[in-house]
Amino acid sequence: MPQSATQVRPTGHPGYAETLPRVPASAAVARRLTNAALSCWGLGELAESGESIVTELVANAVQHARRESIRVLVERTAVRTVRVAVADFSRARPVVRAVDDGDEGGRGLLVVAALAADWGTVERRWGKVVWADLEGRG
């Protein structure tokens, strides 16, 4: 069963997090979590991009990470900025790959880079966190 948590952040808005199994079906739960957070914050205009980004980050973790779980985090880092992140137990950094038109996969990080204001990876002792920032209209 997924483990959820809500924390108060310096912006005065709670952050949302959920520990999920490292399986493809977790992307749907991550999309619902992202959409719920954005809706609560009145940032529904970011929902489509946020859902696409979290889907790609979860898919990447499912394919490349180790262990049986991942953690999805959605936090408001500024009034109009939301960070969507996926933590996993692999220290291997994600790599943007060149893909050919006939390739069926490998475009996930290109999608993230296209939709996010910024994105990156933070290494941790136990693994990494891949994050992407979304910026709402001012």
Side-chain angles (χ1 to χ4, degrees):
M1 174 181 273
Q3 179 186 25
S4 298
T6 304
Q7 291 182 307
V8 175
R9 302 288 182 198
T11 59
H13 297 278
Y16 297 86
E18 194 155 345
T19 299
L20 302 170
R22 192 175 56 86
V23 298
S26 290
V29 178
R31 284 191 297 273
R32 287 193 296 274
L33 178 71
T34 301
N35 194 31
L38 293 169
S39 178
C40 286
W41 295 327
L43 296 169
E45 76 269 13
L46 299 176
E48 188 174 333
S49 293
E51 289 174 357
S52 294
I53 287 170
V54 79
T55 297
E56 297 300 341
L57 296 181
V58 168
N60 221 24
V62 166
Q63 184 175 2
H64 300 290
R66 298 180 294 142
R67 296 207 189 157
E68 65 282 345
S69 66
I70 60 173
R71 186 135 176 101
V72 177
L73 305 107
V74 184
E75 60 186 354
R76 196 166 178 181
T77 58
V79 174
R80 305 297 296 167
T81 305
V82 173
R83 177 163 287 181
V84 177
V86 174
D88 65 59
F89 292 101
S90 170
R91 295 188 74 193
R93 297 177 73 85
V95 177
V96 178
R97 300 187 300 144
V99 293
D100 294 325
D101 289 340
D103 291 346
E104 290 188 24
R107 292 177 178 80
L109 292 176
L110 293 172
V111 170
V112 171
L115 295 174
D118 195 12
W119 75 278
T121 305
V122 178
E123 288 187 25
R124 299 285 188 223
R125 179 179 44 81
W126 44 262
K128 68 178 174 303
V129 178
V130 183
W131 57 269
D133 287 345
L134 294 162
E135 291 187 357
R137 294 186 281 275

